[in-house]
Amino acid sequence: LVGFAHTDAQDTNLVRREAFYNIPAHNLLSVSVTYTLDAWLVQAYCNNCADSTYIAAVQSENAWNNVLYGNPRNYGVRVRRTF
């Protein structure tokens, strides 16, 4: 399974117009391969396969401004058995 997600640029504040409140557009690619046999499932996966650095959110509270970055590339294997 191949997943592609595009998030368009966002303006997170309708009042203030500084560039800080703009989140640039970004693309994410995810891939997974699943094998099932009887009650077993084995899945290899990769999220954010291109290891894109992107801003997921901008937060301004009191005198603090925070930029929250999205998750870096992560990958692994899942094994599941149903009873």
Side-chain angles (χ1 to χ4, degrees):
L1 178 66
V2 176
F4 175 79
H6 171 78
T7 302
D8 208 358
Q10 302 171 43
D11 186 347
T12 62
N13 192 309
L14 298 176
V15 178
R16 295 182 179 168
R17 306 312 300 169
E18 295 93 357
F20 173 80
Y21 295 98
N22 295 330
I23 298 176
H26 63 273
N27 299 312
L28 294 177
L29 175 67
S30 297
V31 177
S32 68
V33 176
T34 304
Y35 177 76
T36 56
L37 178 65
D38 300 326
W40 290 92
L41 177 140
V42 177
Q43 181 180 55
Y45 65 90
C46 176
N47 296 315
N48 190 6
C49 296
D51 202 19
S52 301
T53 300
Y54 63 97
I55 298 173
V58 173
Q59 181 182 27
S60 181
E61 188 172 321
N62 300 327
W64 300 96
N65 293 326
N66 299 308
V67 175
L68 306 174
Y69 287 91
N71 291 329
R73 175 190 307 133
N74 61 76
Y75 51 88
V77 175
R78 294 182 184 102
V79 177
R80 182 175 66 202
R81 184 178 192 291
T82 54
F83 296 93

